[in-house]
């Protein structure tokens, strides 16, 4: 339902992005259409075209907005704890926006707004003695691990008939606990010298 113009705030890119984030958070990325964003804003779809060209541009703006919220390292933590804590914070942040990993993996929508996060990670890596090449390789490995955990909602283990019951004796940890365990194993291996280039 379109609200009377007098009751609507003036449209802007920021308002459109906020509405797009609300739609994506509540109904998922597949439901994110210009029609749904217009409905969220109480306006007609045509009015959005004065501010954005299409859904592709909207996803790029959404990626920029998402990257503004990426966490930075906590300098109060000991150097060895900063790196895993930063990855854990990013996992928590992206978990609250389940659509985000799909936008990131698509690779079409990169954002300069992510540079402070990457710089923070590389600074943390240097603080624990990683050289630039090892720091970048470790960053790529943990980043891919993170995206895998965020994208893979498939339960672990199946019975032989293809059902979704875990295998006997398996306890399936999910969410942040599972990611943190895997991430710490990877980082511990690198920091103990098993990841030398």
């Amino acid at each position: 339902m379109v609200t009377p113009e007098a009751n609507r705030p003036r449209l802007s890119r920021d308002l459109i992005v906020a509405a797009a984030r609300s739609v994506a958070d509540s109904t998922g990325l597949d439901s994110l259409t210009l029609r749904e964003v217009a409905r969220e804003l109480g306006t007609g779809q045509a009015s959005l075209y004065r501010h954005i060209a299409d859904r592709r541009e909207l996803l790029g703006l959404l990626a920029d907005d998402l990257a503004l919220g990426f966490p930075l390292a906590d300098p109060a933590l000991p150097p060895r704890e900063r790196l895993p804590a930063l990855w854990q914070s990013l996992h928590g942040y992206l978990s609250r926006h389940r659509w985000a990993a799909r936008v990131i993996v698509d690779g079409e929508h990169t954002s300069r707004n992510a540079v402070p996060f990457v710089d923070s990670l590389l600074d943390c890596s240097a603080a624990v003695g990683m050289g630039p090449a090892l720091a970048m390789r470790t960053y790529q490995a943990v980043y891919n691990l993170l995206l895998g955990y965020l994208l893979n909602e498939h339960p672990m283990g199946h019975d032989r008939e293809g059902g979704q019951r875990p295998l006997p004796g398996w306890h399936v940890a999910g969410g942040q606990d599972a990611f943190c365990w895997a991430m710490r194993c990877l980082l511990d291996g690198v920091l103990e010298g098993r990841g030398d280039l």
Side-chain angles (χ1 to χ4, degrees):
M1 179 172 161
V2 177
T3 47
E5 203 164 310
N7 296 335
R8 276 190 309 229
R10 186 176 179 93
L11 272 184
S12 67
R13 277 184 165 214
D14 290 342
L15 196 60
I16 292 168
V17 170
R21 185 181 233 182
S22 176
V23 169
D25 282 345
S26 63
T27 59
L29 199 58
D30 291 336
S31 300
L32 181 63
T33 63
L34 294 179
R35 178 176 288 129
E36 284 303 311
V37 172
R39 184 174 294 139
E40 178 83 8
L41 291 167
T43 189
Q45 183 176 340
S47 64
L48 301 182
Y49 291 113
R50 292 186 202 116
H51 304 278
I52 58 169
D54 52 24
R55 184 176 189 267
R56 182 176 177 266
E57 183 180 5
L58 182 61
L59 288 173
L61 294 169
L62 201 54
D64 282 341
D65 182 62
L66 179 75
L68 284 173
F70 284 5
L72 300 177
D74 181 354
L77 291 174
R80 179 94 185 215
E81 285 303 308
R82 279 184 214 146
L83 199 53
L86 185 52
W87 281 113
Q88 185 173 345
S89 294
L90 183 63
H91 181 277
Y93 175 68
L94 293 177
S95 293
R96 291 188 296 277
H97 307 289
R98 298 298 296 177
W99 52 268
R102 285 184 52 205
V103 171
I104 292 168
V105 166
D106 177 44
E108 185 178 349
H109 309 287
T110 59
S111 175
R112 303 268 328 140
N113 293 339
V115 170
F117 168 76
V118 175
D119 287 345
S120 186
L121 269 172
L122 296 177
D123 289 346
C124 289
S125 300
V128 293
M130 286 188 209
L134 182 58
M136 187 52 79
R137 197 166 202 182
T138 303
Y139 164 78
Q140 291 170 331
V142 180
Y143 198 61
N144 287 324
L145 180 73
L146 168 75
L147 292 172
Y149 270 91
L150 291 171
L151 290 170
N152 188 3
E153 297 178 12
H154 194 279
M156 184 181 193
H158 295 292
D159 64 15
R160 291 178 193 228
E161 288 78 43
Q164 298 203 4
R165 293 188 304 268
L167 297 172
W170 286 51
H171 169 71
V172 181
Q176 192 156 31
D177 289 343
F179 166 72
C180 287
W181 177 84
M183 175 262 300
R184 284 185 177 273
C185 286
L186 193 156
L187 289 176
D188 287 348
V190 169
L191 293 172
E192 290 168 15
R194 294 194 297 267
D196 290 338
L197 293 176

